[in-house]
Amino acid sequence: IFPDLTAWEAALSEATASLDRIPPCREMIGKSAASLRGALDTIYDVMQKVELVYVYAFLRSSENQGDSVSQDMTGRATRLYMTMRAQVAFLDPEILAVDHDTMLAWLDEDCLKPYRHIISDTLRAGKFVLDEQRETMLANLSDAAGTASNAYDMLSSVDMKFPNVHDENGNEVPL
């Protein structure tokens, strides 16, 4: 995905800068099918940049959970991902705020064809979508919710060296 750490750092910087493109999308969602398409194109472009950096960091860390450079990359990528998730928390509530019949009519327009399934899923799950404030809170808490699992993974996946011990016969053996 990236030939070296420098390329990953550049992609991380680009993904971080691209987050500034998300807030203006909020105003575009309820105007028309074409403006919704523009907002979704922008949001999904940013998400792709962030997720590429995030996935690469996790793949690299899976090579060696004890590598401090990979741990740092994973931490930075996770923070970026959580920031992005919090910034797009408005998306589903804003889609659901559009009049249902209007949204169904928009879904028939060709410009939304690439997003029909995603928008339809959002409409179907509407009763489970929280307001923006609560969706943002959940996005911000998702990293903390995985702390125990992350700690377990780190401790169970790292090759740890323990000192030798003496067995019942007094022989020194690896632990």
Side-chain angles (χ1 to χ4, degrees):
I1 300 174
F2 299 106
D4 55 29
L5 185 56
T6 303
W8 182 83
E9 290 285 352
L12 177 71
S13 294
E14 180 183 348
T16 302
S18 73
L19 292 177
D20 292 340
R21 296 171 49 208
I22 293 175
C25 293
R26 174 194 310 267
E27 307 302 322
M28 300 167 60
I29 291 173
K31 290 184 176 180
S32 68
S35 67
L36 175 57
R37 166 67 188 260
L40 292 173
D41 284 347
T42 299
I43 289 168
Y44 280 94
D45 180 61
V46 171
M47 289 173 81
Q48 184 176 13
K49 289 177 188 333
V50 170
E51 288 172 357
L52 189 63
V53 167
Y54 179 78
V55 167
Y56 180 81
F58 272 87
L59 290 174
R60 179 161 170 171
S61 72
S62 69
E63 293 174 359
N64 178 0
Q65 293 276 336
D67 179 34
S68 62
V69 172
S70 295
Q71 290 173 5
D72 178 62
M73 290 171 66
T74 301
R76 292 165 58 204
T78 299
R79 283 189 298 279
L80 176 62
Y81 184 81
M82 294 300 116
T83 300
M84 184 263 310
R85 294 299 305 158
Q87 282 197 6
V88 299
F90 69 86
L91 182 58
D92 287 352
E94 288 291 324
I95 287 173
L96 293 168
V98 175
D99 176 73
H100 188 75
D101 291 334
T102 300
M103 184 59 74
L104 292 177
W106 288 358
L107 285 175
D108 287 334
E109 295 188 29
D110 287 338
C111 67
L112 286 178
K113 186 176 181 178
Y115 298 106
R116 281 184 188 143
H117 184 74
I118 294 168
I119 295 170
S120 295
D121 281 352
T122 300
L123 296 176
R124 270 192 300 280
K127 63 183 175 184
F128 304 107
V129 174
L130 303 172
D131 60 41
E132 180 186 344
Q133 182 180 7
R134 288 179 179 88
E135 290 287 342
T136 301
M137 179 187 67
L138 284 177
N140 285 325
L141 288 174
S142 61
D143 187 38
T147 300
S149 175
N150 292 341
Y152 172 79
D153 289 343
M154 286 294 298
L155 293 173
S156 66
S157 299
V158 174
D159 292 332
M160 294 192 284
K161 302 279 189 217
F162 295 102
N164 290 337
V165 295
H166 292 28
D167 67 11
E168 64 276 1
N169 298 323
N171 299 319
E172 193 170 286
V173 294
L175 182 61

